[in-house]
Each structure stands twice: as structure tokens, then as C-alpha cells.
Amino acid sequence: MQSVMLGIDIGGTNTAYGFVGEDGILLSDGQIPTLAGEGPEQLLERLTTLTVKGRDKLAAEVNLIGVGIGAPNGNYYTGNIENPPNLGWPTVPFARMMSKKLNLPVAITNDANATAIGEKYFGAARDMENFVVITLGTGLGSGIYVNNELVYGEDGFAGELGHTCVQVKGRDCACGNQGCLETYVSATGLKRTVFELLSRRTGKSTLREVSFNNLSGQQIAEFALAGDIIAREAFQITGEYLGVALANAAAFSRPEAFILFGGMVAAGELIVNPTYMAMERHLLGVYRGKINILTSALPGSSAAVLGAAALAWNEAKNKEKF
Ligand SMILES: [Zn+2]
């Protein structure tokens, strides 16, 4: 009988799920609207129904043995989703609630950590024991592996590189501070840089035709690849900020590689090259020439679900009782 894990990625708008084998093969998947405004119990109810239906639909020789969840502010230690900013919930013991409903072990962590575990099990970090995954979406998330273990820290929330300060008195951040890395390096940060450049430069750019809210990181990547000068300069600036931040991060975790993930990474070497050059320039001498910058090897559309399932597989491997 084949064992599978259910991976669930709870997002602000949609919640994706999939049944994943130990080899990382997705047996069946789908997505539902999160409808965060209706509360966590409602989402839990719909997820439970889906799980039971999905499990019944799979061949009789498939055995669902556990659930992994990636969620904003998901706390691995407590199993809680703690005051998630984009869901508008209070702290909810989501893992415990789901475990009770399904009578299965359930583990939870935040989305960036889940992506890092996904890279470790099914992606670019398969053979690595020390690496850092940087997720570039609305914000910047990070999952840090040191000595073959994901770093959770004192309370489960270690690894918030997105909120390290890269510019004193810099851009306002959603967290309430100023100058955080993610205000420069994220899809939103990249857009802010594009609009600053558009106001400063006179050159032609297709980006002048697009409104801020209609622009995505992936689109800017496409414009840059097509030769748009503003988009290219925006990636150059973004890469410089990121490279400095990675050099700093290397000083306390000495990874084999940094792995970049997210729609804007479609720009490829247009983001990787300036990042690498800035990182090398700021790295401590003993690290120079030894740390790679890679892009994710997970399929973009199912990466979050694979990561969540990998969390469950990791629990099953490392814990007697999961
Ligand atoms: Zn911040």
C-alpha cells in the first residue's frame, strides 16, 4: 500500500491542497477560496470534507497518513496560526482542530519554512544540509536550514530575514518598521522601485502604461527579459539590496547556497547576477567564491503544496509518533 501525505497551503485568497507521495509525486490536487472572513472553523470544515472525499477518490491501495500545513504565521511548536495578518483571525489552534477532525497527525509551519522543506525533499536542496530559501512574493520570507535542520528558534518564528533593516529611515514596512529588506526585495518592493525610477528617468518604458496595482513581479521580469531599461535597472537595484542581505545572512549560517523562489525569479540572471555580485563584494573573505545563488527547482504552481506535504514527510521521518 502506498502512503501519502496531504499538503495544504493556506493563502489570503486561496487555499491549495494536494496528496503527495514520498517521491514528491502529486497524486491529486485542487484549490478552494479561503474565505478568511467567514472564520477558521468554516475553512476547517470545508478542508475536512475535501480531505475525506479526496482520500476516498484515490485508489484503494493509497493510505493517507498525515497532514502538513503551510500558513501565514503558522507556528510549528504550538500548531497555532497566530494572528495571521492577511486572514484577520485571532490565534487559532488549527493543527489540533484538524487533527481531531481527521484523526490524523497534523503539522503546521509558515509558508516560507514549508517551501524550504519542499526544496530539501523535492527540489534544489536535496543534497544540502545548509541552505537558505528566500521566497519573493508580496513580502520576503525565508526558511533557514543549518546542520540539516530547519531553524525554528525560541518560539517557532526564527528566520524573518524580510524584516532585517537594510536602510535606516528607509521605506515604510507593513510590520510598522522602516527600511526592512522586504520593502525593497519582494514583488511589492520591486514595484516601488520601478515607480521611483519612472519618476526619475525620462527614457521610454512599457512600464509607463501600467498602473501600480496591475503590475506583478513576474510581469516586471518579462519586461526586463524583453529589454525594458527601467525593469532592468529595477532588478539591478533589487539585486544589490538582496546581495548585501545575503552576505549578512551568510555570516551567521554559512549556507552552501541561497535558493530564490517566486514569480519575479523568472528574470533569471537579471536578478541572480547583481545579487551574486553584491553578495560577493560584501561577504567575509573566507566565504568568497563558496556560496551559490540558485533558483527554485520546485514547480511554481504546486511548490507550496509540495512544501507543506514535505513538512509532514519530515515529521514522519524524524518523529516516532506522527
Ligand atoms: Zn518589516
Side-chain angles (χ1 to χ4, degrees):
M1 185 172 275
Q2 188 196 355
S3 298
V4 295
M5 295 291 185
L6 175 66
I8 298 173
D9 175 58
I10 301 177
T13 313
N14 289 311
T15 292
Y17 63 94
F19 295 90
V20 181
E22 201 168 4
D23 47 10
I25 303 221
L26 206 52
L27 299 179
S28 113
D29 65 339
Q31 93 176 22
I32 55 171
T34 303
L35 306 176
E38 297 185 6
E41 289 84 8
Q42 222 273 350
L43 177 63
L44 185 72
E45 209 52 58
R46 285 182 295 135
L47 280 172
T48 307
T49 311
L50 271 173
T51 308
V52 174
K53 265 195 197 157
R55 181 173 56 183
D56 292 348
K57 242 200 206 160
L58 291 170
E61 57 272 16
V62 169
N63 186 22
L64 177 63
I65 58 172
V67 181
I69 302 175
N73 283 9
N75 188 320
Y76 172 75
Y77 288 148
T78 60
N80 295 341
I81 299 179
E82 301 189 4
N83 298 308
N86 52 351
L87 300 177
W89 298 347
T91 293
V92 183
F94 206 84
R96 192 152 22 98
M97 285 156 71
M98 188 151 196
S99 179
K100 219 169 147 191
K101 285 237 177 224
L102 292 171
N103 199 22
L104 284 171
V106 178
I108 202 164
T109 190
N110 74 37
D111 15 19
N113 285 342
T115 307
I117 305 172
E119 293 289 351
K120 169 77 185 163
Y121 272 74
F122 310 130
R126 267 177 230 237
D127 301 318
M128 293 182 200
E129 297 195 346
N130 298 284
F131 64 95
V132 180
V133 168
I134 305 284
T135 63
L136 299 162
T138 317
L140 182 151
S142 55
I144 303 170
Y145 260 83
V146 175
N147 301 341
N148 216 22
E149 274 187 41
L150 190 74
V151 176
Y152 285 110
E154 179 70 10
D155 62 358
F157 286 127
E160 288 290 350
L161 291 184
H163 298 285
T164 51
C165 184
V166 292
Q167 185 81 64
V168 176
K169 295 187 185 153
R171 293 175 181 171
D172 288 352
C173 184
C175 75
N177 286 333
Q178 281 185 318
C180 291
L181 179 64
E182 77 168 29
T183 67
Y184 298 88
V185 184
S186 63
T188 317
L190 181 66
K191 288 203 297 186
R192 290 168 93 167
T193 303
V194 161
F195 278 79
E196 274 179 17
L197 287 171
L198 287 173
S199 70
R200 267 172 36 211
R201 303 261 181 269
T202 52
K204 263 194 184 168
S205 169
T206 340
L207 286 160
R208 294 197 190 280
E209 315 302 321
V210 193
S211 77
F212 189 89
N213 288 334
N214 287 330
L215 193 59
S216 73
Q218 181 145 6
Q219 265 179 317
I220 303 170
E222 283 158 16
F223 284 129
L225 289 170
D228 188 282
I229 305 263
I230 298 282
R232 283 181 173 239
E233 188 176 353
F235 271 107
Q236 176 71 32
I237 293 168
T238 305
E240 284 168 10
Y241 275 110
L242 179 57
V244 171
L246 297 189
N248 291 342
F252 64 80
S253 67
R254 177 50 176 103
E256 180 179 338
F258 290 101
I259 301 167
L260 310 184
F261 174 91
M264 60 187 267
V265 176
E269 61 186 34
L270 289 178
I271 179 73
V272 172
N273 287 355
T275 303
Y276 187 79
M277 282 172 68
M279 179 185 79
E280 280 290 302
R281 198 162 60 241
H282 292 275
L283 270 180
L284 193 63
V286 289
Y287 303 146
R288 279 201 194 115
K290 295 178 183 165
I291 301 176
N292 288 323
I293 297 178
L294 308 171
T295 51
S296 170
L298 293 172
S301 54
S302 51
V305 164
L306 287 175
L311 166 68
W313 279 115
N314 192 49
E315 291 297 289
K317 203 175 124 192
N318 294 324
K319 280 191 184 157
E320 249 175 57
K321 250 183 102 186
F322 174 68

PDB file of all heavy atoms in Angstrom, residues 102-121:
ATOM      1  N   LEU A 102      -9.842  14.772  11.680  1.00  0.00           N
ATOM      2  CA  LEU A 102      -9.444  13.721  10.733  1.00  0.00           C
ATOM      3  C   LEU A 102      -8.873  12.484  11.418  1.00  0.00           C
ATOM      4  O   LEU A 102      -8.663  11.459  10.775  1.00  0.00           O
ATOM      5  CB  LEU A 102      -8.394  14.270   9.761  1.00  0.00           C
ATOM      6  CG  LEU A 102      -8.867  15.323   8.773  1.00  0.00           C
ATOM      7  CD1 LEU A 102      -7.672  15.927   8.046  1.00  0.00           C
ATOM      8  CD2 LEU A 102      -9.838  14.719   7.752  1.00  0.00           C
ATOM      9  N   ASN A 103      -8.586  12.647  12.719  1.00  0.00           N
ATOM     10  CA  ASN A 103      -7.919  11.571  13.447  1.00  0.00           C
ATOM     11  C   ASN A 103      -6.586  11.189  12.784  1.00  0.00           C
ATOM     12  O   ASN A 103      -6.269  10.017  12.616  1.00  0.00           O
ATOM     13  CB  ASN A 103      -8.854  10.366  13.573  1.00  0.00           C
ATOM     14  CG  ASN A 103      -8.400   9.450  14.693  1.00  0.00           C
ATOM     15  OD1 ASN A 103      -7.682   9.896  15.596  1.00  0.00           O
ATOM     16  ND2 ASN A 103      -8.772   8.185  14.619  1.00  0.00           N
ATOM     17  N   LEU A 104      -5.848  12.243  12.383  1.00  0.00           N
ATOM     18  CA  LEU A 104      -4.534  12.060  11.753  1.00  0.00           C
ATOM     19  C   LEU A 104      -3.573  13.069  12.378  1.00  0.00           C
ATOM     20  O   LEU A 104      -4.002  14.121  12.851  1.00  0.00           O
ATOM     21  CB  LEU A 104      -4.617  12.362  10.250  1.00  0.00           C
ATOM     22  CG  LEU A 104      -5.253  11.338   9.328  1.00  0.00           C
ATOM     23  CD1 LEU A 104      -5.423  11.947   7.946  1.00  0.00           C
ATOM     24  CD2 LEU A 104      -4.425  10.059   9.262  1.00  0.00           C
ATOM     25  N   PRO A 105      -2.261  12.762  12.373  1.00  0.00           N
ATOM     26  CA  PRO A 105      -1.310  13.782  12.837  1.00  0.00           C
ATOM     27  C   PRO A 105      -1.253  14.951  11.851  1.00  0.00           C
ATOM     28  O   PRO A 105      -1.297  14.745  10.635  1.00  0.00           O
ATOM     29  CB  PRO A 105       0.023  13.034  12.886  1.00  0.00           C
ATOM     30  CG  PRO A 105      -0.154  11.860  11.994  1.00  0.00           C
ATOM     31  CD  PRO A 105      -1.612  11.512  11.966  1.00  0.00           C
ATOM     32  N   VAL A 106      -1.185  16.168  12.405  1.00  0.00           N
ATOM     33  CA  VAL A 106      -1.138  17.375  11.563  1.00  0.00           C
ATOM     34  C   VAL A 106       0.010  18.265  12.049  1.00  0.00           C
ATOM     35  O   VAL A 106       0.113  18.534  13.251  1.00  0.00           O
ATOM     36  CB  VAL A 106      -2.464  18.164  11.643  1.00  0.00           C
ATOM     37  CG1 VAL A 106      -2.384  19.437  10.796  1.00  0.00           C
ATOM     38  CG2 VAL A 106      -3.647  17.304  11.198  1.00  0.00           C
ATOM     39  N   ALA A 107       0.868  18.691  11.151  1.00  0.00           N
ATOM     40  CA  ALA A 107       1.945  19.630  11.497  1.00  0.00           C
ATOM     41  C   ALA A 107       1.729  20.924  10.723  1.00  0.00           C
ATOM     42  O   ALA A 107       1.140  20.922   9.637  1.00  0.00           O
ATOM     43  CB  ALA A 107       3.304  19.043  11.141  1.00  0.00           C
ATOM     44  N   ILE A 108       2.198  22.010  11.298  1.00  0.00           N
ATOM     45  CA  ILE A 108       1.979  23.315  10.661  1.00  0.00           C
ATOM     46  C   ILE A 108       3.273  24.145  10.754  1.00  0.00           C
ATOM     47  O   ILE A 108       4.045  23.985  11.684  1.00  0.00           O
ATOM     48  CB  ILE A 108       0.790  24.037  11.352  1.00  0.00           C
ATOM     49  CG1 ILE A 108       0.169  25.092  10.444  1.00  0.00           C
ATOM     50  CG2 ILE A 108       1.188  24.643  12.674  1.00  0.00           C
ATOM     51  CD1 ILE A 108      -1.214  25.534  10.908  1.00  0.00           C
ATOM     52  N   THR A 109       3.501  24.976   9.767  1.00  0.00           N
ATOM     53  CA  THR A 109       4.584  25.967   9.854  1.00  0.00           C
ATOM     54  C   THR A 109       4.231  27.125   8.924  1.00  0.00           C
ATOM     55  O   THR A 109       3.159  27.107   8.299  1.00  0.00           O
ATOM     56  CB  THR A 109       5.957  25.350   9.512  1.00  0.00           C
ATOM     57  OG1 THR A 109       6.992  26.292   9.849  1.00  0.00           O
ATOM     58  CG2 THR A 109       6.097  24.993   8.043  1.00  0.00           C
ATOM     59  N   ASN A 110       5.107  28.134   8.863  1.00  0.00           N
ATOM     60  CA  ASN A 110       4.752  29.228   7.943  1.00  0.00           C
ATOM     61  C   ASN A 110       5.130  28.852   6.509  1.00  0.00           C
ATOM     62  O   ASN A 110       5.847  27.887   6.265  1.00  0.00           O
ATOM     63  CB  ASN A 110       5.346  30.567   8.394  1.00  0.00           C
ATOM     64  CG  ASN A 110       6.835  30.670   8.151  1.00  0.00           C
ATOM     65  OD1 ASN A 110       7.361  30.190   7.149  1.00  0.00           O
ATOM     66  ND2 ASN A 110       7.530  31.298   9.073  1.00  0.00           N
ATOM     67  N   ASP A 111       4.632  29.602   5.563  1.00  0.00           N
ATOM     68  CA  ASP A 111       4.767  29.227   4.149  1.00  0.00           C
ATOM     69  C   ASP A 111       6.221  29.180   3.671  1.00  0.00           C
ATOM     70  O   ASP A 111       6.593  28.299   2.902  1.00  0.00           O
ATOM     71  CB  ASP A 111       3.915  30.123   3.241  1.00  0.00           C
ATOM     72  CG  ASP A 111       3.422  31.380   3.921  1.00  0.00           C
ATOM     73  OD1 ASP A 111       4.003  31.763   4.965  1.00  0.00           O
ATOM     74  OD2 ASP A 111       2.470  31.995   3.434  1.00  0.00           O
ATOM     75  N   ALA A 112       7.052  30.101   4.154  1.00  0.00           N
ATOM     76  CA  ALA A 112       8.453  30.107   3.695  1.00  0.00           C
ATOM     77  C   ALA A 112       9.199  28.884   4.230  1.00  0.00           C
ATOM     78  O   ALA A 112       9.998  28.272   3.511  1.00  0.00           O
ATOM     79  CB  ALA A 112       9.154  31.392   4.143  1.00  0.00           C
ATOM     80  N   ASN A 113       8.929  28.516   5.481  1.00  0.00           N
ATOM     81  CA  ASN A 113       9.554  27.312   6.033  1.00  0.00           C
ATOM     82  C   ASN A 113       9.107  26.080   5.258  1.00  0.00           C
ATOM     83  O   ASN A 113       9.912  25.189   4.963  1.00  0.00           O
ATOM     84  CB  ASN A 113       9.179  27.131   7.512  1.00  0.00           C
ATOM     85  CG  ASN A 113       9.925  28.095   8.416  1.00  0.00           C
ATOM     86  OD1 ASN A 113      10.935  28.666   8.014  1.00  0.00           O
ATOM     87  ND2 ASN A 113       9.441  28.271   9.617  1.00  0.00           N
ATOM     88  N   ALA A 114       7.821  26.016   4.931  1.00  0.00           N
ATOM     89  CA  ALA A 114       7.303  24.874   4.170  1.00  0.00           C
ATOM     90  C   ALA A 114       8.005  24.796   2.811  1.00  0.00           C
ATOM     91  O   ALA A 114       8.388  23.712   2.351  1.00  0.00           O
ATOM     92  CB  ALA A 114       5.785  24.991   3.994  1.00  0.00           C
ATOM     93  N   THR A 115       8.215  25.940   2.176  1.00  0.00           N
ATOM     94  CA  THR A 115       8.914  25.946   0.879  1.00  0.00           C
ATOM     95  C   THR A 115      10.344  25.427   1.045  1.00  0.00           C
ATOM     96  O   THR A 115      10.845  24.674   0.206  1.00  0.00           O
ATOM     97  CB  THR A 115       8.922  27.362   0.281  1.00  0.00           C
ATOM     98  OG1 THR A 115       7.579  27.840   0.244  1.00  0.00           O
ATOM     99  CG2 THR A 115       9.479  27.374  -1.132  1.00  0.00           C
ATOM    100  N   ALA A 116      11.004  25.813   2.141  1.00  0.00           N
ATOM    101  CA  ALA A 116      12.378  25.344   2.376  1.00  0.00           C
ATOM    102  C   ALA A 116      12.403  23.816   2.538  1.00  0.00           C
ATOM    103  O   ALA A 116      13.275  23.141   1.977  1.00  0.00           O
ATOM    104  CB  ALA A 116      12.961  26.021   3.615  1.00  0.00           C
ATOM    105  N   ILE A 117      11.449  23.277   3.277  1.00  0.00           N
ATOM    106  CA  ILE A 117      11.398  21.817   3.454  1.00  0.00           C
ATOM    107  C   ILE A 117      11.094  21.151   2.109  1.00  0.00           C
ATOM    108  O   ILE A 117      11.632  20.094   1.778  1.00  0.00           O
ATOM    109  CB  ILE A 117      10.366  21.414   4.533  1.00  0.00           C
ATOM    110  CG1 ILE A 117      10.663  22.140   5.848  1.00  0.00           C
ATOM    111  CG2 ILE A 117      10.391  19.912   4.765  1.00  0.00           C
ATOM    112  CD1 ILE A 117       9.601  21.979   6.918  1.00  0.00           C
ATOM    113  N   GLY A 118      10.255  21.809   1.316  1.00  0.00           N
ATOM    114  CA  GLY A 118       9.953  21.306  -0.027  1.00  0.00           C
ATOM    115  C   GLY A 118      11.199  21.240  -0.901  1.00  0.00           C
ATOM    116  O   GLY A 118      11.434  20.263  -1.610  1.00  0.00           O
ATOM    117  N   GLU A 119      12.037  22.289  -0.836  1.00  0.00           N
ATOM    118  CA  GLU A 119      13.295  22.282  -1.614  1.00  0.00           C
ATOM    119  C   GLU A 119      14.205  21.160  -1.122  1.00  0.00           C
ATOM    120  O   GLU A 119      14.911  20.529  -1.905  1.00  0.00           O
ATOM    121  CB  GLU A 119      14.037  23.621  -1.497  1.00  0.00           C
ATOM    122  CG  GLU A 119      13.341  24.816  -2.127  1.00  0.00           C
ATOM    123  CD  GLU A 119      13.319  24.804  -3.660  1.00  0.00           C
ATOM    124  OE1 GLU A 119      13.980  23.958  -4.280  1.00  0.00           O
ATOM    125  OE2 GLU A 119      12.601  25.648  -4.229  1.00  0.00           O
ATOM    126  N   LYS A 120      14.196  20.924   0.169  1.00  0.00           N
ATOM    127  CA  LYS A 120      15.059  19.894   0.760  1.00  0.00           C
ATOM    128  C   LYS A 120      14.616  18.488   0.286  1.00  0.00           C
ATOM    129  O   LYS A 120      15.439  17.641  -0.030  1.00  0.00           O
ATOM    130  CB  LYS A 120      14.980  20.011   2.282  1.00  0.00           C
ATOM    131  CG  LYS A 120      15.583  18.877   3.056  1.00  0.00           C
ATOM    132  CD  LYS A 120      17.092  18.971   3.090  1.00  0.00           C
ATOM    133  CE  LYS A 120      17.694  17.748   3.766  1.00  0.00           C
ATOM    134  NZ  LYS A 120      19.115  17.608   3.468  1.00  0.00           N
ATOM    135  N   TYR A 121      13.312  18.274   0.258  1.00  0.00           N
ATOM    136  CA  TYR A 121      12.814  16.937  -0.087  1.00  0.00           C
ATOM    137  C   TYR A 121      12.677  16.721  -1.593  1.00  0.00           C
ATOM    138  O   TYR A 121      12.974  15.650  -2.098  1.00  0.00           O
ATOM    139  CB  TYR A 121      11.463  16.681   0.606  1.00  0.00           C
ATOM    140  CG  TYR A 121      11.655  16.104   1.979  1.00  0.00           C
ATOM    141  CD1 TYR A 121      12.097  16.904   3.023  1.00  0.00           C
ATOM    142  CD2 TYR A 121      11.444  14.755   2.228  1.00  0.00           C
ATOM    143  CE1 TYR A 121      12.313  16.383   4.280  1.00  0.00           C
ATOM    144  CE2 TYR A 121      11.657  14.213   3.491  1.00  0.00           C
ATOM    145  CZ  TYR A 121      12.090  15.040   4.509  1.00  0.00           C
ATOM    146  OH  TYR A 121      12.309  14.504   5.753  1.00  0.00           O
TER     147      TYR A 121
END
